[in-house]
Structure formats: structure tokens, C-alpha cells
Amino acid sequence: QVQLVESGGGLAQPGGSLRLSCAASESIFSMGWYRQAPGKQRELVAAITSGGSTNYADSVKGRFTISRDNAKNTVFLQMNSLKPEDTAVYYCNARRITAWGRYDYWGQGTQVTVSS
């Protein structure tokens, strides 16, 4: 079973920065970050494949950058120019597609709070 361990959440001021990290126990083709704010649906923030292809939510384009270290099975999310609306629990996601279907694995979640 794939295990994901997140770190890097915390408190930041508006306009500040945080970097999230997620380490997977084994190699995964696609990794990314989702977030869920109170009373809202979980949404995709950013994702990246092992080949480096990325996609971002429109709300974070130009502010957040996703990257990964394939050798370490680790994905990062650099969050700059943070806004209060970025406040949410952020979940690391790993997706694996096999002959038996698609599997999603989730980290424990880390709180990101943006407030003055």
C-alpha cells in the first residue's frame, strides 16, 4: 500500500510563502495536491506526472509551483503570494493506473492558514 507523508503546513501572512512536501513510499506516475476549505468541496490545486507535465487550478496559476523529485518519490508545492482564500487543509494525492484500475492514495492533510 502506498503511504504519503505530508509536511510544511502552517501559518502565513497574506503575500507570504509556504512550501509543502509529500513523500511517497514508492514511485507513482502522477502526484498532486488537493485542498478543502470548511464548507467547500475538495478541489485540485496542482498535479504533476513523472515526466514533468503539470496542471494548476486557475486560482493558483502564477502563484503556486508544483515540482517533484522522482528519485526520492517526493512532490513539492511552493506557494507564493498567499491569499486568505488559500486557507484550507491541503492533501497530497498519488495516482496509479494499473491493469486492474485506477488507484488514488491520500496523505493525512496539512493545515494552511493565511491570515494577518
Side-chain angles (χ1 to χ4, degrees):
Q1 183 176 351
V2 177
Q3 295 180 336
L4 304 175
V5 180
E6 302 178 29
S7 63
L11 176 66
Q13 294 183 338
S17 298
L18 288 172
R19 190 175 79 149
L20 306 183
S21 299
C22 175
S25 59
E26 60 187 83
S27 180
I28 299 294
F29 175 73
S30 180
M31 300 184 71
W33 295 92
Y34 288 71
R35 68 186 181 188
Q36 187 167 27
K40 294 186 177 181
Q41 184 176 323
R42 184 178 297 187
E43 64 175 350
L44 174 69
V45 179
I48 186 169
T49 69
S50 60
S53 297
T54 61
N55 65 291
Y56 296 90
D58 288 340
S59 60
V60 307
K61 287 181 179 178
R63 300 189 299 119
F64 292 8
T65 302
I66 189 169
S67 61
R68 65 187 291 169
D69 184 337
N70 290 336
K72 298 180 179 179
N73 301 323
T74 302
V75 64
F76 306 94
L77 185 67
Q78 180 66 46
M79 304 184 292
N80 298 327
S81 301
L82 284 164
K83 303 175 180 179
E85 50 263 44
D86 295 319
T87 296
V89 177
Y90 284 68
Y91 296 91
C92 181
N93 168 261
R95 178 168 292 171
R96 182 176 65 192
I97 300 175
T98 72
W100 297 273
R102 187 179 72 187
Y103 300 88
D104 282 293
Y105 305 91
W106 299 93
Q108 77 278 11
T110 185
Q111 177 70 47
V112 170
T113 301
V114 183
S115 176
S116 59

